[in-house]
Amino acid sequence: MDTLHDLDTLVLANTATNIINDTLKIATFNLFNYIEPPLAYYDFENIYSQESWQKKQAWICDYLAQYQPDVIGFQEVFSANALQQLLAEQGYNHFSVVDEPNIIDDYICRDPVVAIASRYPIKAVSAIMADPHIATSIGISADFAFSRKPLRATIDLPHIGDTDCYVVHLKSKRPMLEAAPDSGNAADTGLTKTHVLATLKAEIMGSWGSSIQRGSEAALLYHAILERREESGHPVILMGDFNDDIQQTPLQCLTTNSIRDRQVSDQKQILDTFWLTDSFTLYQNTDNADHKVSRSPTHYYGAKGNVLDYILLSCEFNAEYNASLFEVSAYQTYDRHLINPIFDRDGNSTDHGIVNVTLSLRS
């Protein structure tokens, strides 16, 4: 009787494992100033109290417990060690970063980094650096640097094996220039013409500068992905806070699916293995998708919502590709804290929605 019971238990355990392994959940999660006190972000006043810090930690754990992602790309990480410890307690035994924030005045931090956590083994990790020869060939400086270093982790995922997972946080739309202080007598005359025009010019040029930086980051990143893909043949998952609509000009290269060559039809089989596709598009193309559902914003600027956070996938996850192993069976944007916040619950959460996709093994 005991032997049969043990056998039944083993069969049930194996069945549960197979069910889990037949689906993979991938999430991208902007943590919004994840920094452990007494460190401060950007200004000495920006320090979490112990109560606020514990609420932020608990909020993260609640999300992980509810949605159970297998691989998570994080942005805005200041305290990597604290995040690694928190995630280990939630069953994420594999964690990597490739950079560290800058600390000024002993405890004030700036320049947060990206990170990745996984339930499955991370076999290799590296930072993506801009190729100086490619940079100069497109008219930018040979010493061009990403505003935040992208991370590439090679993860041994069930059924599909070594997969290159990229985590990014591209340059924001915040203007790179600020207007010079007005030297006029503003106390008497209000905002002077000189000041107003200086502000306008700084915003125009600063916003364009940010677009150039973000677009260059996207192009150089995609070039690095193509080179790696050609070398390794690994499937690709690209996730993160892109800080723009991927259909807009600065980021269009990331989902391009055509080239100018008139003979492209003869090369389609080759090119299909290099394109990246937005996971929401892949989900909408599946038979089980609710095609009436509109895409939820992942960030709000005032009342205007925008999709800034994405998960892009290579052909191995595209059901329309004959040799694909997985398909996108679910797409979720966790945004309750953005559209219906409750202070006691969400006061120390994040200003981004969390995108989570489910990849199901194709039968």
Side-chain angles (χ1 to χ4, degrees):
M1 182 71 71
D2 290 343
T3 302
L4 287 175
H5 180 269
D6 291 344
L7 180 59
D8 289 342
T9 301
L10 180 60
V11 169
L12 288 172
N14 288 337
T15 301
T17 300
N18 289 335
I19 292 173
I20 292 172
N21 288 346
D22 284 352
T23 62
L24 294 169
K25 291 185 178 181
I26 313 296
T28 180
F29 192 158
N30 185 316
L31 290 167
F32 187 54
N33 297 324
Y34 183 86
I35 187 165
E36 184 177 23
L39 294 176
Y41 54 94
Y42 304 117
D43 187 270
F44 71 92
E45 294 182 349
N46 296 329
I47 302 174
Y48 290 112
S49 67
Q50 283 299 327
E51 180 183 5
S52 295
W53 174 245
Q54 292 306 318
K55 283 185 175 181
K56 190 174 186 72
Q57 296 278 74
W59 194 93
I60 295 169
C61 292
D62 287 344
Y63 171 80
L64 297 177
Q66 182 175 351
Y67 286 91
Q68 295 288 315
D70 296 298
V71 177
I72 318 166
F74 293 101
Q75 303 85 44
E76 294 205 27
V77 178
F78 285 105
S79 299
N81 290 338
L83 181 60
Q84 182 175 13
Q85 180 178 342
L86 179 73
L87 293 167
E89 293 169 357
Q90 307 305 311
Y92 296 89
N93 296 321
H94 310 279
F95 178 90
S96 290
V97 293
V98 293
D99 201 4
E100 57 186 23
N102 289 320
I103 301 179
I104 56 177
D105 295 335
D106 295 328
Y107 68 96
I108 300 174
C109 297
R110 52 177 298 176
D111 306 319
V113 303
V114 300
I116 193 166
S118 172
R119 297 189 187 277
Y120 299 103
I122 296 176
K123 298 178 67 174
V125 64
S126 62
I128 303 300
M129 310 297 287
D131 184 321
H133 299 293
I134 300 300
T136 55
S137 74
I138 61 174
I140 58 179
S141 174
D143 61 358
F144 176 90
F146 289 92
S147 52
R148 298 103 170 173
K149 289 181 183 176
L151 174 157
R152 182 186 72 225
T154 302
I155 302 178
D156 185 6
L157 297 176
H159 300 290
I160 203 166
D162 290 351
T163 301
D164 287 335
C165 298
Y166 295 81
V167 184
V168 300
H169 189 181
L170 300 181
K171 177 67 179 74
S172 72
K173 291 185 177 181
R174 185 177 297 109
M176 298 178 70
L177 301 176
E178 294 184 3
D182 188 5
S183 58
N185 189 0
D188 296 334
T189 63
L191 293 176
T192 66
K193 176 182 177 181
T194 300
H195 177 81
V196 171
L197 289 180
T199 300
L200 174 62
K201 289 184 283 187
E203 286 202 5
I204 291 172
M205 301 313 298
S207 294
W208 180 240
S210 294
S211 295
I212 292 172
Q213 174 74 23
R214 186 167 58 260
S216 299
E217 289 178 351
L220 290 164
L221 170 67
Y222 192 38
H223 182 271
I225 291 173
L226 291 174
E227 295 249 301
R228 169 69 175 182
R229 174 80 154 155
E230 183 180 14
E231 171 195 337
S232 70
H234 293 164
V236 174
I237 298 173
L238 170 60
M239 63 189 121
D241 177 358
F242 290 25
N243 264 315
D244 208 343
D245 183 336
I246 57 172
Q247 301 303 319
Q248 297 300 310
T249 299
L251 303 187
Q252 282 181 331
C253 65
L254 293 172
T255 54
T256 183
N257 60 1
S258 64
I259 60 175
R260 294 182 182 272
D261 191 335
R262 294 181 179 180
Q263 304 301 317
V264 66
S265 59
D266 300 330
Q267 304 168 22
K268 187 175 185 302
Q269 186 175 1
I270 297 173
L271 293 171
D272 277 350
T273 64
F274 288 92
W275 307 137
L276 297 178
T277 307
D278 181 6
S279 55
F280 183 77
T281 301
L282 293 178
Y283 172 62
Q284 290 294 85
N285 290 340
T286 59
D287 293 336
N288 58 348
D290 184 349
H291 299 281
K292 297 180 181 179
V293 175
S294 60
R295 190 174 204 164
S296 299
T298 66
H299 187 267
Y300 289 86
Y301 185 76
K304 179 177 173 54
N306 300 283
V307 179
L308 303 182
D309 303 82
Y310 295 89
I311 299 174
L312 308 184
L313 302 167
S314 60
C315 63
E316 289 84 356
F317 308 100
N318 185 348
E320 295 183 351
Y321 182 69
N322 290 335
S324 64
L325 293 176
F326 285 86
E327 66 178 355
V328 179
S329 58
Y331 181 100
Q332 298 164 316
T333 301
Y334 184 76
D335 60 0
R336 181 179 65 177
H337 56 292
L338 301 180
I339 61 176
N340 186 29
I342 298 173
F343 180 78
D344 286 344
R345 181 189 68 197
D346 304 313
N348 299 105
S349 56
T350 174
D351 62 343
H352 279 248
I354 306 165
V355 175
N356 188 329
V357 300
T358 301
L359 309 174
S360 295
L361 190 67
R362 297 185 67 194
S363 56

